[in-house]
Amino acid sequence: MLVHADTGMVQSDVAEVGENPVQDGQMDPSEIDLDPASTILDETAQEELAEKARREREARAQALTLEIVGDLPFAEVKPPENVLFVCKLNPVTEDEDLDLIFSRFGKIISCEVIREKRTGDSLQYAFIEFEDQKACEQAYFKMQGVLIDDHRIHVDFSQSVSRLSDTWRTATNSKRKNQTGGFGGAANLEKKRQYRAVDAEPSDRKRDHGRYDMVLNKHEHIRTRSSKLAIAHSWPIMASAFTNLLDKLHLTSKEDDGPPAKEPADEELNKLKEKYTKAGQDHVFTFYDELSVPEKASLFERLQSFDPNYINEITEKALHPAPSSNNNEETTLEPLPETVTASILDSKEEDIQSWYTSGLELVSKGQVAVILMAGGQGTRLGSSDPKGCFNIGLPSQKSLFQIQAERIWKVQQLAEKDSGKKDVAIPWYVMTSGPTRQPTEKFFEEHNYFGLSKDNVSIFEQGVLPCISNDGKILLESKAKVAVAPDGNGGIYQALLTSNVRTDMRKRGIQHIHAYCVDNCLVKVADPVFIGFAAAKEVDIATKVVRKKNAKEPVGLILQKNGKPDVVEYSEIDDATAEAKDSSKPDLLKFRAANIVNHYYSFRFLETIEDWVHQLPHHVARKKIPYVDIEKGETVKPSAPNGIKLEQFVFDVFPLTPLEKFACMEVKREEEFSPLKNARGTGEDDPDTSKQDILNQGRRWVQNVGGMVESEVAPEETGVEVSPLVSYGGEGLEFLQTRTIKAPAVIEKED
């Protein structure tokens, strides 16, 4: 491909000067072969050569297009192989957010969200440069289509060597100022060929009207009379390449697959506007008329899902709660009575075995189901995936979802063995949030539901509520989108109504439900002991607790508040109450039942949701919420909390339950509770502590049956991972009785 020095026109596929090229449509007679077989082969070869030539022309045209739009300093500069282009970002996503999320793949040299120079607003794309090319490739394959700040991102290898903006170039070059070699200071950028040579003297440039001469190698020549033909031939390819470039940058108006969105009918729109106007929330339609049809349809659908009067009502109650009937009375706190409690730590072995046997029997009858609360993302862990997809670093590299699925599978197998029945099933209902539903479904499909039957796994979605400003107004995230947030884990009850989960349970004959949170790697899913205990007590709600580590541990406590079962947060208890001792057991705290969000429900209780769900309170979380200024139409990123998010807690229903229909079971922390809350390296409730808790548990199990565990590595690596497929709670490991295990190790099967 050549550029004419006088006209600047493109010329491609030209012959060397002095050649006598064959005219179009003609063939050199000496090359004619009359053999039919060779003729067919020649035709095939010609087609392949023609296709190869077409692709080369298109590639050259694309390179020139990038040079024209200023993306390439030279058309054949080799793009870096360690830089990712990330787009479709949320405007609120910062450099640090991307750096944290992508750094799990390897060391990052630079990570920069590109911003508009004048306003500093995010242009919603970024460049991330890795030190290692392999790390870049891993990030490309793993991060495509994941959610970051509720936006599904697009990831591609960067085709830019100028970083698309001076901001990127300046920042990056400053970080590379001490490097040498390559192009722009980067050793892996190559300038293959120079297209333009700048004249040495300014006077020469002026005399030549600012044009640049073409720098040719000995095989390249310009033929002026071929320029127009070359332009006509190359322009369609260049136009196509330019369109493809815009598509890659997501600057075209191509719609997603599926039927096109339809603009809401005037009658429906006016009716909805009137509803919001009467509620004093009509500002949400401020930018409606300037939206595209898909944006109008999306905004209409979201607003239609809310009742603005109900939003006003719950906001008022949350911000200005009515005084309780016993407001003038002193709040009384007492531990739950012994009649409704039990402890695995000091219960009789025969009682525990009885509960276990009873629980397995209920499982074998098909009366037990599990609800997993899995709406959170792993953002604080450095991952944008749903938290259940997170790999805590076990030797087996299993995710939280897989660990828990395998425990369900094992309980099914234990129930089959105990009862002699086959095809015992425990339905698993996985509650996600809006942003995590699709990636959760995809993760389950990619892993074939971890060996469980697809028919017994249901993924459903909790609800959302709009974010509210400090003056009670619904906030807009953008001109076309309401700012929303999940309604908390207490949204489980409403979600059971709006989904088909409760209906499905009824059809299956479910009577007992275990509900828990995804971030506990030690959770005993569908625990037969817990199910049997609650069923024996004939309660509607039961909960598991662990002993509080010490008086200062910041955990919620399950106790009696004014004679009703309740959860009281650590911040609501004074020091004297927190440090009080149990009169019958002076070495223990009086209030020691730490909440671990691990509950049992009877199905008969869930059948009454409609009777009490409206009584559950909404709690206020004051947040810094990005919003659109209604007057200016600009996105504002507040520096201080400017609004509230409303949420419900799963335990809000406890006080509505009679004490005789409530039970509590204390379990061993080291066997059943290891929360995953923080990023790796914090040393508390992080991936490393979760991994070690599982390895320590496995080591104890091996040693309990007489096995030996040895290790030549650091003490923290002396554990054993026992697959749930082998043992659910330490049972069935007698085959290890005389074995010596070299830690760290994984036991995946009996051998």
Side-chain angles (χ1 to χ4, degrees), residues 598-652:
N598 195 322
H599 309 310
Y600 161 94
Y601 300 95
S602 70
F603 185 73
R604 64 175 176 268
F605 178 72
L606 297 183
E607 286 278 41
T608 67
I609 291 177
E610 293 90 340
D611 298 336
W612 46 261
V613 69
H614 62 282
Q615 301 178 45
L616 301 182
H618 286 82
H619 305 272
V620 171
R622 298 193 178 275
K623 301 285 186 177
K624 293 185 286 185
I625 306 170
Y627 68 98
V628 170
D629 187 306
I630 297 299
E631 295 182 359
K632 299 179 181 179
E634 298 176 352
T635 299
V636 178
K637 294 176 61 177
S639 56
N642 64 306
I644 62 173
K645 294 182 179 181
L646 299 172
E647 58 183 352
Q648 294 178 311
F649 299 147
V650 69
F651 53 74
D652 286 333

Side-chain angles (χ1 to χ4, degrees), residues 340 537-540 657-663:
V340 301
K537 291 283 188 181
E538 296 185 344
V539 296
D540 286 333
T657 309
L659 192 57
E660 63 271 16
K661 288 295 183 180
F662 188 89

Side-chain angles (χ1 to χ4, degrees), residues 127-202:
F127 292 90
I128 302 173
E129 182 175 8
F130 288 86
E131 183 178 63
D132 180 60
Q133 179 182 337
K134 184 172 292 186
C136 183
E137 292 173 353
Q138 290 178 343
Y140 167 75
F141 288 114
K142 293 287 188 180
M143 297 301 293
Q144 170 60 25
V146 303
L147 287 163
I148 296 180
D149 294 330
D150 293 348
H151 279 225
R152 197 170 300 282
I153 65 170
H154 176 79
V155 180
D156 204 345
F157 288 102
S158 173
Q159 298 302 308
S160 171
V161 294
S162 62
R163 303 298 187 268
L164 294 176
S165 76
D166 290 338
T167 303
W168 168 265
R169 261 196 308 274
T170 301
T172 303
N173 287 339
S174 67
K175 295 171 185 176
R176 292 171 164 169
K177 62 184 179 180
N178 295 324
Q179 298 183 17
T180 59
F183 176 74
N188 64 336
L189 292 185
E190 301 174 9
K191 185 171 67 175
K192 290 184 176 179
R193 179 171 55 180
Q194 184 177 358
Y195 275 79
R196 295 171 176 169
V198 180
D199 294 331
E201 299 296 332

